[in-house]
Amino acid sequence: MSLEGGLSRRQCLGAAVTAGALATLSLPRTALAGAQIEEPLIDSVRTALSSAIHNKAPPVPQFANTEARLAYLRWLGEMSERLKKKVADAPSRIELLQTVWYEAKRSGLEVSLVLGLVQVESNFRKFAVSSAGARGYMQVMPFWTRVIGDSDSAKLFHMQTNLRFGCVILRHYLDRENGDLYMTLGRYNGSRGKSPYPNAIFANQRLWAFNDKERERDKDRAAAG
């Protein structure tokens, strides 16, 4: 799977966000999801999405080597500290972060992007419901459970199910938009082509960016040696 940073955010990350807007958007009080639009899907796309949703692989990270595993643990420790004010219970916090990491990587998405989206959509509230009826951490519209699931929309309040739906849908939109993340996020929110929602996600994504200082120090020591 591609590592965080592998997806191009194109030029949209250069969009300016005022300091006041950043402060407001980083701490949403309500679920902000718009109405994701139910669009006709060709059979091959529906089958592929359904297959991704029904893959029951457990959210257990797999690593090619010890260095990668240690880098993940450093990320997990730092993100857990950042998330503490929103999710007080440590085991719940770790489980959520591990699942976000797993589902984001599984769909080829940046983990920081997914965390930023979760903050904007639900402020990390598992049972959040928007005025449009979107549900859970990633504010998935119930019609998706009929299109690619088993029609049981109550499952969208299950953590891994919600994160898997959200990541699979976001990946689907990203493919449809040929990698244009700005347009992808607008489509996810039901506001394609409008700037407030993508800018909110990008602002919050920065709050979850991870600079692995230990890894950089290891590289510096190796270069010096």
Side-chain angles (χ1 to χ4, degrees):
M1 293 180 180
S2 60
L3 296 177
E4 184 164 349
L7 287 176
S8 172
R9 286 173 285 179
R10 303 171 73 101
Q11 297 180 349
C12 53
L13 281 177
V17 179
T18 64
L22 175 58
T24 300
L25 293 170
S26 64
L27 292 172
R29 295 181 178 275
T30 58
L32 299 180
Q36 293 162 357
I37 300 171
E38 183 172 359
E39 303 170 338
L41 299 176
I42 63 174
D43 289 343
S44 61
V45 170
R46 182 181 291 104
T47 298
L49 290 174
S50 181
S51 176
I53 289 299
H54 287 93
N55 182 338
K56 298 299 184 182
V60 178
Q62 301 293 325
F63 303 99
N65 52 55
T66 300
E67 181 182 354
R69 180 175 182 276
L70 291 176
Y72 164 75
L73 292 175
R74 290 192 293 271
W75 171 87
L76 186 63
E78 183 169 326
M79 294 302 110
S80 179
E81 283 299 311
R82 295 185 194 182
L83 190 57
K84 187 179 293 184
K85 290 183 179 180
K86 298 182 182 299
V87 183
D89 180 65
S92 298
R93 193 165 64 243
I94 295 299
E95 183 182 12
L96 174 58
L97 286 168
Q98 176 175 301
T99 307
V100 168
W101 191 95
Y102 179 90
E103 295 299 337
K105 296 288 185 178
R106 180 177 178 273
S107 292
L109 300 169
E110 292 186 50
V111 181
S112 60
L113 174 70
V114 175
L115 285 169
L117 189 147
V118 170
Q119 181 160 342
V120 169
E121 291 287 5
S122 66
N123 205 23
F124 296 94
R125 291 180 293 125
K126 181 177 182 179
F127 297 105
V129 179
S130 77
S131 59
R135 300 182 177 191
Y137 289 115
M138 293 186 74
Q139 290 292 278
V140 178
M141 290 294 287
F143 73 77
W144 282 107
T145 62
R146 171 174 48 79
V147 174
I148 59 175
D150 59 5
S151 298
D152 184 359
S153 59
K155 290 182 179 178
L156 293 176
F157 292 122
H158 176 263
M159 179 180 63
Q160 187 181 0
T161 301
N162 185 276
L163 294 171
R164 177 158 297 187
F165 265 90
C167 288
V168 166
I169 293 164
L170 189 59
R171 179 75 248 179
H172 168 58
Y173 287 158
L174 187 63
D175 292 340
R176 287 203 61 183
E177 296 291 352
N178 298 313
D180 188 328
L181 190 51
Y182 180 91
M183 299 302 286
T184 295
L185 291 171
R187 186 183 287 273
Y188 188 91
N189 176 251
S191 60
R192 185 177 183 273
K194 298 180 181 179
S195 63
Y197 183 79
N199 285 344
I201 300 298
F202 296 143
N204 281 271
Q205 180 181 8
R206 297 185 191 108
L207 303 178
W208 301 100
F210 176 58
N211 179 19
D212 193 345
K213 297 179 181 178
E214 184 63 31
R215 186 175 182 180
E216 292 302 317
R217 283 195 290 267
D218 289 344
K219 288 182 178 179
D220 290 343
R221 285 193 291 266

